[in-house]
Amino acid sequence: MELSITEKKEKGTRPEDAKLAFGTTFTDHMFNMDYSIDKGWHNPRIEPFANLVLSPATMMLHYGQGIFEGLKAYKTETGEIRLYRPRDNFKRLNKSAKGLCIPTIDIDFIMESLKTLLRLEKNWIPETPGTSLYIRPTVIATDPYLGVRASHTYRFFIILSPVGAYYSAGFNPVNIWISKDHVRAVRGGIGEFKTPGNYAASLFASEQAKKEGYAQVLWLDGIERKYIEEVGAMNIFFCINDEVVTPKLNGSILPGITRDSVLTLAKRWGMKVSERKISIDELIKAHGDGTLKEAFGSGTAAVISPVGEMRYGDKVLTIADGKTGPVAMKLNKAITDIQYGKAEDTEAWIEKV
Amino acid sequence: MELSITEKKEKGTRPEDAKLAFGTTFTDHMFNMDYSIDKGWHNPRIEPFANLVLSPATMMLHYGQGIFEGLKAYKTETGEIRLYRPRDNFKRLNKSAKGLCIPTIDIDFIMESLKTLLRLEKNWIPETPGTSLYIRPTVIATDPYLGVRASHTYRFFIILSPVGAYYSAGFNPVNIWISKDHVRAVRGGIGEFKTPGNYAASLFASEQAKKEGYAQVLWLDGIERKYIEEVGAMNIFFCINDEVVTPKLNGSILPGITRDSVLTLAKRWGMKVSERKISIDELIKAHGDGTLKEAFGSGTAAVISPVGEMRYGDKVLTIADGKTGPVAMKLNKAITDIQYGKAEDTEAWIEKV
Ligand SMILES: Cc1ncc(COP(=O)(O)O)c(C=O)c1O
Ligand SMILES: Cc1ncc(COP(=O)(O)O)c(C=O)c1O
């Protein structure tokens, strides 16, 4: 396959770094590629960022057959452009593809195409610490057909958005709401895939949480509604006594790449780390006897998000006095230092562009 | 709000009734309406059927915030156009809207708009028995934004498709596959709403079933994986001894309008009817002792779909010798006769256009 490139004539300008929000501004170009049963993936092209023209019967709009990824490109002080574990994102995209009956993509080819796109858009990558270029690879089912089945055609696209810090409050603890009534995903379902339906399922409880003043929802398992799963767009970790613990991947949790980075680093540092079931009762108890030292989320958008407060029904659990704890702090620094080229890439996580 | 109408200059032609498939051909016009926080629902318009022009960052494509409905317009022998329980569809649309944090619509206004659209498209409604005009009202989230939250803008549209019989095999029993490993929805989730994510969640098992030669999947509950829920795009009924039984609405099943029609008619006819939990073990036992007389699905697409065979792991349950049973036959005739104006509309289900 040969990548074709059509450059935009009049280039746009990147907003000032200080004014960047999350996911609202897009760069001049995007990557597009089509799939049909006859041709497989074909016509890969970089072209000016443009609207999609879709039949109102497009299957994605009716049956939600789609998948996506989220990763970032970082610019170092010396102007180098770096991707953080990008192949892991494309591996996860291919896993999501299988789960949603979508044809997989060739990771090497996509990596090369993404790098070409990033080189073209290098002026769109902001430089201020904490900022980055968010990369959103997406696949949507495009058959204009109203019966329920896997589509025969797809569009794959990558769009880029220069982003500021995810939480406008900065690296300050967030408050999270534990949903008693709503469930995001269940064993045997699509929770472990990055597919739009999971986020649709999260909206009602998220809006409820927002009304109560909480930034995100912490989900419990769909069966017993007792075991911690993950947060809206992050995996979750707790420091209980001297143990760093996170829910085991069970089929209904997204296998986060930041989660994996946290586990790897914490082990490397000789910390006691475990992936296991964690019940809400265990957390309440640990909070009560003072052994719940920290809680934090992990995800591409915010890297590490300390949790200052968790609410479960009438119970409000304040954690680490509502401040950022040392483990969250250390992990955030270690990961962002690798991303921005301030520390050695001991784990071979970085791919230079 | 005033409905504006822009007529298409060159009208298309409807395919021959005998060549109609399901959901592939669309009529000349569609209904469109937009929502913004400032204006609410606004700019309702009938205009030529046209592609949607959407930013690749459109929230529906990433976070699946959308809902839809499916209903039909029928033409009687005397050329009258009839809708079947359309207000129930729009009530369900509004329930789905609430579940997905989408602003609800004014049912009276939409009913009038739909009727205007149908009058304009009356030549698109096929006449042969079994054919009809399928109506697909849809709402999609349209903010071009990559953060997870409820959108601030939406598009509502209605598209129309002349359709033949849903099952190309006609009113012949279908074979269904009971999924042991996959789950469509769970209590506390979005299963009771008509939203794309539920159909995305059904694809993997459906493709698996197809490979094994089964037309659709019968879902079990997500918690114990023991109780019958529904079929891909139908609710399910069993005749056990002299009881007509269907799973109780529990939050994870779509509350089908045909389901409600079946319950209403069967009760009216003095049959013993119940909505309750039905376990797969009960069905296997009833099949074994010969008391499982019939099984059939209910839904807008096919009205009543007799089930000839159900497969659960290694077990194959043949039902009513793989033929259509008398209860399925009687219900199908009663409902379609009301739809096509061949029987009196005793339940006030018909709304004339
Ligand atoms: C539901 C969900 N869980 C967890 C994560 C964290 O995954 P990652 O660390 O790969 O960004 C994300 C965000 O990507 C997510 O959307
Ligand atoms: C998941 C699901 N269940 C049941 C039904 C049947 O509902 P109705 O009878 O309203 O068409 C449908 C189809 O509309 C469906 O998609």
Side-chain angles (χ1 to χ4, degrees), chain A residues 115-247:
Chain A
K115 286 182 187 173
T116 306
L117 178 62
L118 289 171
R119 277 180 217 118
L120 190 64
E121 302 292 56
K122 61 177 180 299
N123 292 332
W124 280 96
I125 311 177
E127 280 139 51
T128 314
T131 64
S132 55
L133 187 72
Y134 184 74
I135 301 166
R136 172 60 60 94
T138 309
V139 185
I140 59 170
T142 51
D143 278 7
Y145 176 59
L146 293 188
V148 184
R149 59 155 169 75
S151 182
H152 299 154
T153 60
Y154 299 86
R155 168 68 66 89
F156 178 114
F157 61 83
I158 303 178
I159 53 178
L160 308 174
S161 173
V163 297
Y166 190 78
Y167 294 100
S168 42
F171 194 59
N172 283 325
V174 294
N175 295 341
I176 61 182
W177 162 279
I178 303 175
S179 182
K180 280 194 150 178
D181 300 328
H182 292 90
V183 164
R184 174 189 170 274
V186 71
R187 185 190 58 180
I190 53 176
E192 65 184 319
F193 307 121
K194 210 160 164 74
T195 180
N198 291 327
Y199 300 85
S202 79
L203 289 174
F204 195 90
S206 302
E207 294 295 310
Q208 205 180 10
K210 257 185 226 167
K211 271 185 213 131
E212 302 279 342
Y214 291 80
Q216 297 223 20
V217 174
L218 176 63
W219 300 100
L220 299 180
D221 77 284
I223 295 173
E224 299 179 62
R225 299 212 192 166
K226 202 165 118 175
Y227 297 103
I228 305 295
E229 297 238 316
E230 61 178 324
V231 185
M234 309 191 289
N235 296 106
I236 185 92
F237 285 82
F238 302 96
C239 301
I240 302 177
N241 284 317
D242 60 347
E243 185 190 14
V244 178
V245 50
T246 192

Side-chain angles (χ1 to χ4, degrees), chain B residues 268-283:
Chain B
R268 170 110 3 179
W269 296 338
M271 297 173 93
K272 192 172 151 197
V273 174
S274 46
E275 299 173 71
R276 61 171 173 83
K277 280 191 168 187
I278 308 158
S279 72
I280 178 69
D281 293 338
E282 177 183 351
L283 290 184

Side-chain angles (χ1 to χ4, degrees), chain B residues 3 31 33 44-46 107-119 158:
Chain B
L3 177 66
F31 171 84
M33 181 163 76
R45 57 204 186 271
I46 288 172
I107 294 180
D108 287 330
F109 180 78
I110 284 297
M111 277 302 304
E112 282 317 306
S113 303
L114 174 59
K115 286 181 187 173
T116 305
L117 178 62
L118 289 171
R119 277 182 217 115
I158 303 179

Side-chain angles (χ1 to χ4, degrees), chain A residues 22-23 26 50-52 54-57 62-63 68 98 136 138 145-146 150 157 183 187-188 196 200 203-204 207 225, chain B residues 22-23 26 50-52 54-57 62-63 68 98 136 138 145-146 150 157 183 187-188 196 200 204 207 225:
Chain A
F22 187 89
F26 300 92
N51 286 329
L52 304 173
L54 299 173
S55 164
H62 300 270
Y63 308 121
F68 66 94
K98 284 187 189 142
R136 172 60 60 94
T138 309
Y145 176 59
L146 293 188
F157 61 83
V183 164
R187 185 190 58 180
L203 289 174
F204 195 90
E207 294 295 310
R225 299 212 192 166
Chain B
F22 186 90
F26 300 92
N51 287 328
L52 304 173
L54 300 173
S55 163
H62 300 270
Y63 308 122
F68 66 94
K98 284 187 188 142
R136 171 61 60 94
T138 310
Y145 176 59
L146 293 187
F157 61 83
V183 165
R187 186 189 57 180
F204 196 90
E207 295 293 311
R225 298 210 194 170

Side-chain angles (χ1 to χ4, degrees), chain B residues 70 89 92 184 194 199 230-235 254-259 298-301:
Chain B
N89 286 95
R92 189 169 66 187
R184 174 188 169 274
K194 210 161 164 75
Y199 300 85
E230 62 179 323
V231 185
M234 309 191 288
N235 296 106
L254 193 82
I257 291 161
T258 320
R259 175 185 180 280
S298 71
T300 293

